[in-house]
Amino acid sequence: MLTDALTEPGLADFRAKVRVFLTGNLPDDLRRAASRATSVFIDPAVTLPWQRILNARGWAAPDWPAEFGGPGWSEIERYIFAAECAAAGAPGLAPMGLKMVAPVIMHYGTPEQRAHYLPRILSGEDYWCQGFSEPGAGSDLASLQLRAVPDGDDYVLNGSKIWTTHAHFANRMFALVRTSTEGKPQAGISFLLLDMKAPGITVEPIRTLAGDHEFNQVFFDDVRVPQANRLGGENEGWSVAKHLLTFERGGKYAPGLIGRLERLRGEDGIGPVLRAELDREAIGLAALQALEIKAMRGLGGSPALYASVLKILGTEAAQRIDTLACEIAGPAAWADADGQTPAELAVAVPRYLNDRAASIYAGSNEIQRDLIARLMLG
Ligand SMILES: Cc1cc2nc3c(=O)[nH]c(=O)nc-3n(C[C@H](O)[C@H](O)[C@H](O)COP(=O)(O)OP(=O)(O)OC[C@H]3O[C@@H](n4cnc5c(N)ncnc54)[C@H](O)[C@@H]3O)c2cc1C
């Protein structure tokens, strides 16, 4: 299931090199753990060892420019790498550092901030969480209230963040805070990089419908953050956040979904109706793949527009594949009594439940449709 761009001449050697690396370096225990993961946010006990292996090869951050530690690959090579990793069953790395905050540090950071944070993100020494949403600010993010009041060289933070994925693992958070109540809500927001071990931060778990502990509420009680940890200007954090959200929402959904779909298609005993539905999804994913490559190559359309379109198409496809997996698994989706059920089927129900959130996080799909309408219709 390859679009033409992925079979262009000269790419076979690159693909072969990646395959050889994956065969020789992806440990079985990490592959097995990834195959049983019930969320796109895989436990760092699984992702960080893999990130270290990739980093030792210089491949932990395929999308980063070479000057910051990326491998210097073309867009298509980066796409092939993602596809090969997914096909091999490699764990997807946590996006908050590598894919979300890193590009905005590259864009808005001072030379000191870049030199400090980027190598620590690559190596996995820093593990990041995202402090955007608050109990009263989700879709209407600009109404956020966590106050940051200047005091000497610091800001003093009071308030809370919610739905903070992996805050219980993170030693770093990038956060939107209110530094002014003047003017439009968007105009009084700043973007801070903060230490999760700072006195006054408390992380309280929230359990999901599927029973996972994946996200949290984080409380700030007189937390001091150096003003030097602000990314971009004071009250200019909204622009930084919008830049970051294009990286959070956009990107590559198809490689992982194609990997899952192909594993499902490989199952025995699937009737003709379900098989036809799997085939239909395969065609849809090939189209999604072509669109993702077009977006990566910057061929027409704004990055924000692509990001919203891809987020809707990718997450809705994931939810349809979850439904198909449950239908194929039947009773095995509920109870893998002997531990012999193929991983795709054994985790079908937990994945189905977990992926209900996919059309909500990173900005709900209703909000993405609204953004698309605004971007296209003005
Ligand atoms: C699993 C998961 C992980 C998350 N991780 C993080 C994280 O790490 N960091 C973080 O900051 N946030 C995180 N979030 C929060 C996420 O960004 C918000 O849940 C999301 O933006 C929606 O906000 P809300 O939950 O407050 O819902 P609301 O904004 O209250 O929306 C409720 C419903 O109303 C609809 N709605 C609201 N406004 C409109 C409108 N104008 N037009 C049409 N429909 C509308 C929404 O689409 C939604 O269906 C996570 C969420 C989930 C589910």
Side-chain angles (χ1 to χ4, degrees):
M1 208 169 23
L2 297 172
T3 56
D4 290 347
L6 296 181
T7 54
E8 281 169 8
L11 293 174
D13 288 350
F14 177 78
R15 184 178 287 107
K17 180 171 77 170
V18 173
R19 280 188 188 166
V20 167
F21 172 79
L22 288 166
T23 307
N25 293 277
L26 173 59
D28 273 348
D29 58 334
L30 298 187
R31 193 160 35 77
R32 245 193 323 275
S35 74
R36 299 253 159 184
T38 55
S39 168
V40 289
F41 299 107
I42 302 177
D43 196 312
V46 177
T47 59
L48 283 179
W50 178 230
Q51 182 171 331
R52 287 189 202 105
I53 293 168
L54 288 172
N55 194 36
R57 183 72 173 81
W59 291 359
D63 296 326
W64 288 21
E67 63 173 307
F68 297 118
W73 291 337
S74 69
E75 289 98 348
I76 293 301
E77 287 171 334
R78 281 147 48 192
Y79 206 90
I80 287 175
F81 180 71
E84 291 298 328
C85 286
L93 303 183
M96 284 79 85
L98 289 163
K99 291 195 177 151
M100 289 160 64
V101 79
V104 293
I105 292 175
M106 290 172 203
H107 192 87
Y108 293 94
T110 62
E112 293 75 28
Q113 288 171 330
R114 290 171 174 180
H116 177 74
Y117 291 112
L118 295 175
R120 297 164 65 97
I121 293 174
L122 265 186
S123 67
E125 184 175 351
D126 281 348
Y127 193 86
W128 289 80
C129 63
Q130 176 187 29
F132 279 17
S133 307
E134 296 182 8
S139 300
D140 183 15
L141 186 58
S143 65
L144 63 94
Q145 294 299 328
L146 192 145
R147 282 310 305 263
V149 177
D151 184 34
D153 290 340
D154 297 339
Y155 289 111
V156 178
L157 273 55
N158 280 287
S160 95
K161 293 291 175 184
I162 198 164
W163 319 125
T164 322
T165 302
H166 285 195
H168 51 306
F169 296 124
N171 66 333
R172 289 263 147 205
M173 171 189 278
F174 55 91
L176 293 178
V177 297
R178 181 149 303 285
T179 37
S180 169
T181 51
E182 306 285 313
K184 279 172 53 179
Q186 288 87 343
I189 292 172
S190 299
F191 193 108
L192 296 185
L193 309 172
L194 55 92
D195 183 351
M196 290 294 283
K197 301 283 181 293
I201 295 183
T202 316
V203 178
E204 296 286 346
I206 302 174
R207 296 244 163 231
T208 67
L209 178 67
D212 303 322
H213 175 199
E214 198 168 292
F215 51 28
N216 306 272
Q217 185 162 4
V218 184
F219 296 90
F220 294 77
D221 187 11
D222 285 335
V223 176
R224 299 193 79 87
V225 178
Q227 294 197 24
N229 288 19
R230 195 185 59 234
L231 197 62
E234 188 171 80
N235 300 325
E236 292 170 10
W238 192 248
S239 306
V240 185
K242 282 201 298 186
H243 192 73
L244 183 144
L245 286 169
T246 61
F247 292 100
E248 180 177 6
R249 293 169 182 157
K252 312 177 195 73
Y253 294 86
L257 293 174
I258 289 171
R260 278 193 68 193
L261 195 74
E262 291 307 315
R263 285 189 283 277
L264 282 175
R265 288 170 106 193
E267 292 300 328
D268 296 328
I270 301 176
V273 175
L274 282 176
R275 207 158 270 291
E277 287 193 37
L278 289 171
D279 291 346
R280 198 171 17 243
E281 284 307 325
I283 294 165
L285 290 181
L288 178 60
Q289 182 174 259
L291 191 63
E292 289 177 349
I293 290 170
K294 192 168 179 252
M296 276 183 85
R297 289 179 148 179
L299 300 178
S302 79
L305 179 63
Y306 271 120
S308 292
V309 170
L310 295 179
K311 202 255 161 175
I312 294 171
L313 294 176
T315 54
E316 291 185 352
Q319 292 177 342
R320 284 194 305 275
I321 292 170
D322 290 329
T323 305
L324 284 171
C326 289
E327 290 180 44
I328 292 166
W334 288 101
D336 178 23
D338 55 4
Q340 297 302 308
T341 309
E344 275 309 321
L345 305 184
V347 294
V349 166
R351 272 197 188 153
Y352 174 93
L353 294 174
N354 193 285
D355 264 345
R356 298 293 90 200
S359 44
I360 301 171
Y361 58 61
S364 75
N365 286 10
E366 290 79 17
I367 295 297
Q368 302 315 309
R369 288 190 163 85
D370 198 33
L371 288 171
I372 292 166
R374 279 194 228 179
L375 285 164
M376 294 195 71
L377 303 176

